Amino acid sequence: MNNTEELQRLVDRSSRIVFFGGAGVSTESGIPDFRSVDGLYNQKYDWPPEQILSHTFFMKNTEEFYRFYRDKMLLTDKKPNPAHLWLAQLEEAGKLSAVVTQNIDGLHQAAGSKKVFELHGSVLRNYCMSCGKSYSAEFIKKSEGVPHCECGGIIKPDVVLYEESLNDKVIGGAVAAIQNADLLIIAGTSLTVYPAAGFVRYFRGDKIVLINRDETPFDSEADLVFHEKVGALLSQIKINNI
């Protein structure tokens, strides 16, 4: 039995699968990851992306933040790829308990997934820092400079920036889902960004599958490891009880 056949067997026999995904899940949709050769962290700006995407920078250099954000983060024209669609079908079949994602692109929901824990928020949600009014991603995209609410307050993306804490409710839901899973599929993540990477330690189930283009510090602990594209692999796995 090869590794793909073993993954098929694991999916067939599991009923509480949790998918934990990172940037590599969305690269097949044309969204760049952060740490690859052509990722955001290897492009040239006046400041490094880690600094631009920090709370301090947002507060002090809001216009520069938005210039970078609109150009590199607000990619609302992208569509779900085979990985997103496969996961939505797996949930529909009653085999997937939840998606836990580090991505902020909203593509899991666009594909049809209902139970999604967005650890780092979403570019699709924005709110006024003064009155709390919500604004769409399209509003941010069409605005110029620093977007302001009708009350005059500055609008901020509902995205967890560096120096900011994750949402407690999202953390609780993600941890509970992982603790109750019988199969954990980790995909498209280097497992080097904390606290998100530490979530996999809560898994108490049977098997862990790891799918990532490059090696990770967790490879030796996974039961099944694939170094390939997430969507290309998952689209080979049949969902047998829809």
Side-chain angles (χ1 to χ4, degrees):
M1 182 182 293
N2 63 34
N3 279 0
T4 305
E5 291 170 338
E6 174 64 9
L7 177 55
Q8 180 72 67
R9 187 183 72 83
L10 291 177
V11 169
D12 286 344
R13 78 178 194 185
S14 302
S15 59
R16 298 186 314 280
I17 301 170
V18 167
F19 181 87
F20 181 91
V25 177
S26 291
T27 52
E28 288 168 83
S29 293
I31 294 178
D33 67 7
F34 280 79
R35 289 172 174 78
S36 66
V37 172
D38 55 351
L40 288 180
Y41 282 1
N42 291 294
Q43 299 179 29
K44 301 300 182 185
Y45 298 94
D46 291 339
W47 297 270
E50 304 99 310
Q51 185 176 346
I52 297 173
L53 297 174
S54 69
H55 178 81
T56 298
F57 192 92
F58 176 84
M59 299 303 292
K60 290 184 176 179
N61 302 278
T62 313
E63 188 165 353
E64 287 298 324
F65 169 89
Y66 268 111
R67 184 173 290 124
F68 175 89
Y69 179 78
R70 287 190 185 95
D71 184 33
K72 296 298 179 184
M73 310 294 288
L74 200 54
L75 306 174
T76 55
D77 60 330
K78 304 303 183 183
K79 304 298 181 187
N81 66 51
H84 301 107
L85 298 171
W86 185 86
L87 289 164
Q89 292 170 358
L90 195 67
E91 182 182 39
E92 185 182 347
K95 296 175 71 67
L96 182 77
S97 300
V99 169
V100 179
T101 180
Q102 299 174 74
N103 296 340
I104 58 175
D105 49 48
L107 291 180
H108 285 294
Q109 291 93 330
S113 289
K114 304 287 191 294
K115 193 74 172 287
V116 182
F117 294 103
E118 297 173 307
L119 297 179
H120 297 152
S122 172
V123 299
L124 302 182
R125 298 186 300 269
N126 306 272
Y127 63 92
C128 172
M129 297 176 71
S130 297
C131 74
K133 182 177 178 179
S134 295
Y135 287 87
S136 69
E138 286 305 314
F139 179 89
I140 302 300
K141 202 167 189 177
K142 290 176 181 176
S143 63
E144 295 182 1
V146 178
H148 285 85
C149 175
E150 56 189 23
C151 80
I154 293 174
I155 299 171
K156 182 182 183 295
D158 188 12
V159 170
V160 180
L161 302 176
Y162 289 102
E163 305 166 351
E164 295 179 345
S165 300
L166 304 187
N167 180 282
D168 286 342
K169 186 176 179 182
V170 174
I171 290 174
V175 168
I178 292 170
Q179 285 177 326
N180 292 318
D182 55 4
L183 173 64
L184 180 62
I185 301 176
I186 305 168
T189 174
S190 61
L191 290 174
T192 56
V193 177
Y194 284 84
F199 281 41
V200 300
R201 300 292 180 189
Y202 290 98
F203 180 64
R204 300 290 180 266
D206 188 19
K207 300 288 185 182
I208 294 178
V209 175
L210 181 57
I211 310 165
N212 196 54
R213 189 188 64 182
D214 303 316
E215 290 185 10
T216 79
F218 202 75
D219 280 19
S220 61
E221 299 185 48
D223 298 284
L224 209 54
V225 177
F226 298 87
H227 290 144
E228 49 189 289
K229 291 182 177 179
V230 183
L233 172 65
L234 293 181
S235 59
Q236 299 175 49
I237 306 302
K238 295 177 180 151
I239 301 171
N240 291 318
N241 58 340
I242 289 182

